[in-house]
Amino acid sequence: MATPQPAQRVLVVEDEEPLAKVMARTLRGRGFECDIALNGGAARSLIASNDYAIALLDVRLPDESGYSLLKELRSTRRDTAVVMISGVDDPELGAAALENGAYAYHVKPVGATQLYLLVVNNLRRRSLEMEHRVSLERLEAMLAERSEQMRRAAELQAGMLPASPLREDGFEIAAHFSAAREISGDFYDWYHSARGRIALTLGDVMGKGLSASLMMATARAAMRGAADVEPLEAGITQAAAVMSAVLEVNQAYITLFHCTFDARSGDLEYVDAGHGHARLLRGAISQELLSERSAPIGIFPESKFLTGNATLGHGDSLVVFSDGLLDLRPDLGTKDVQLPYEARRASSAQEMVDILAEGAGERPLADDVTVVALRRI
């Protein structure tokens, strides 16, 4: 049989003093430290000044019920195992003891071997419960730390996205972004290029969560690094080469729409790398699709990217969105379906994207939802 550790201390709470002394003598003979309390008040004093591995409580004490002492022990000394001992073989009393946190309910008389096994077995259970509780606390701490890391990562990712809307002479750009998880594989970006044009990008990394967000950050940095490379398709090719290593490791790909816009002339140059979700609105009346398409980045190592051209007139808009929007508006999966009337009639680019993404922040999302609109004023 297992030998108890020296630090294991037992409290015997029993109003029959001869029985209490026999129990204490038996346990001390087995290597335990043991204290005796003949009533509830004495027990409380001992509990206040000592840590007990296990307490053996008589159900009926001269000054109170052993059950009230049980409840206090379970609330203030949760690492103390409690065994109720009674002279009454009553299933209801036993059930009440277990419901209030006792490890066991034992009926007197208690023989020496029986007492020893009662203590040892319940100490083993206590040890397992304490190990389990420590494991849970560690797990909770790890989850809390991960949650905090993800929160910071989400803040960092949000900080990478340009503030919406952007209004300058002759045009406005706006975006709506809702992540399906804490962090996202979608991204949008806009900035001034060296030629005085406005560069706008919307990308969608295959997958979700942390790995997708890391690939997103790589893609954004690669696109910015190639911002002034001419012609446009050469810049996309350069950015794709930078992305290739991380995409290959993760067996992933990116769909991407990238364009540059001249606010003075309305000239628009674009590359659609497997994205497809772009609409050109002619005022509030008609809609066009952009014809040039290329393969997603990361699918074929030697992909060639085609540049398309269009012209935005005053009041025209370019709308680009990720495929997560199709969960909210499945009708947009059919490319020749007009964007909703209220979106086409919106008074600003920001109002337009908010109308299109309406409801994204009110329900769980299967995929990230990103919508970007560029309007020539």
Side-chain angles (χ1 to χ4, degrees):
M1 292 185 181
T3 302
Q5 298 297 318
Q8 290 179 315
R9 194 179 188 99
V10 183
L11 174 62
V12 174
V13 185
E14 169 60 59
D15 63 342
E16 296 182 29
E17 187 172 358
L19 176 58
K21 289 182 177 180
V22 169
M23 293 171 66
R25 185 166 58 249
T26 299
L27 293 173
R28 288 168 184 152
R30 299 284 187 167
F32 291 98
E33 296 181 26
C34 192
D35 294 330
I36 295 173
L38 302 178
N39 54 59
R44 290 173 188 277
S45 296
L46 288 170
I47 291 167
S49 56
N50 297 283
D51 289 323
Y52 291 101
I54 188 168
L56 309 176
L57 301 185
D58 192 2
V59 170
R60 295 182 179 179
L61 297 171
D63 52 350
E64 62 178 300
S65 167
Y67 286 97
S68 62
L69 197 56
L70 166 65
K71 291 179 180 179
E72 183 165 333
L73 271 170
R74 299 314 296 153
S75 64
T76 62
R77 300 279 185 162
R78 63 175 184 168
D79 288 338
T80 299
V82 180
V83 174
M84 303 301 291
I85 297 178
S86 173
V88 180
D89 188 358
D90 186 333
E92 292 186 3
L93 288 176
L98 298 180
E99 288 171 3
N100 283 281
Y103 279 33
Y105 179 89
H106 198 81
V107 180
K108 300 174 186 178
V110 184
T113 301
Q114 196 173 33
L115 175 64
Y116 174 71
L117 293 176
L118 189 65
V119 169
V120 169
N121 289 335
N122 284 286
L123 283 176
R124 286 176 180 166
R125 176 182 166 184
R126 168 184 177 266
S127 178
L128 290 173
E129 287 190 357
M130 291 176 67
E131 289 175 5
H132 179 64
R133 185 163 61 246
V134 169
S135 297
L136 284 178
E137 289 172 351
R138 287 175 179 169
L139 178 59
E140 288 171 357
M142 289 172 60
L143 291 175
E145 181 180 0
R146 179 188 178 279
S147 178
E148 176 62 15
Q149 290 174 347
M150 295 296 282
R151 185 191 65 78
R152 291 179 181 177
E155 287 182 353
L156 177 62
Q157 187 177 49
M160 296 169 63
L161 303 175
S164 179
L166 169 67
R167 292 189 179 94
E168 293 190 3
D169 187 27
F171 73 96
E172 58 179 350
I173 307 177
H176 179 103
F177 171 74
S178 294
R181 299 184 183 176
E182 298 98 327
I183 50 181
S184 167
D186 279 12
F187 75 97
Y188 66 85
D189 200 10
W190 57 70
Y191 46 88
H192 290 272
S193 67
R195 290 190 298 157
R197 298 169 69 92
I198 294 298
L200 184 150
T201 308
L202 190 151
D204 186 353
V205 178
M206 182 190 76
K208 302 175 184 66
L210 184 58
S211 61
S213 73
L214 293 173
M215 289 184 281
M216 178 279 284
T218 300
R220 176 184 177 275
M223 292 300 300
R224 287 219 168 198
D228 298 319
V229 176
E230 295 291 343
L232 189 63
E233 62 268 22
I236 301 297
T237 300
Q238 177 179 308
V242 174
M243 301 178 210
S244 62
V246 68
L247 292 175
E248 183 177 355
V249 167
N250 289 279
Q251 298 182 322
Y253 63 87
I254 296 174
T255 66
L256 185 110
F257 183 93
H258 178 74
C259 68
T260 63
F261 172 69
D262 187 327
R264 293 166 296 180
S265 66
D267 176 62
L268 183 79
E269 291 185 336
Y270 69 90
V271 170
D272 187 328
H275 194 72
H277 301 304
R279 307 284 192 273
L280 190 59
L281 304 184
R282 298 302 186 185
I285 300 173
S286 63
Q287 172 180 294
E288 298 175 11
L289 300 178
L290 300 176
S291 58
E292 295 294 346
R293 292 281 298 278
S294 307
I297 296 172
I299 292 287
F300 305 112
E302 303 300 326
S303 288
K304 302 297 182 183
F305 299 102
L306 303 176
T307 298
N309 293 275
T311 301
L312 292 184
H314 295 287
D316 291 349
S317 301
L318 170 71
V319 178
V320 189
F321 53 88
S322 65
D323 56 9
L325 183 64
L326 302 182
D327 293 328
L328 296 176
R329 296 184 175 274
D331 57 305
L332 297 184
T334 304
K335 297 186 183 301
D336 55 358
V337 169
Q338 292 268 355
L339 293 182
Y341 175 79
E342 61 273 18
R344 289 184 278 120
R345 299 283 295 180
S347 61
S348 68
Q350 188 66 60
E351 183 182 2
M352 181 182 293
V353 297
D354 289 341
I355 289 172
L356 288 172
E358 185 177 3
E362 301 170 3
R363 70 183 213 186
L365 298 174
D367 199 359
D368 306 318
V369 174
T370 305
V371 188
V372 177
L374 164 65
R375 171 178 283 183
R376 187 181 183 196
I377 301 172

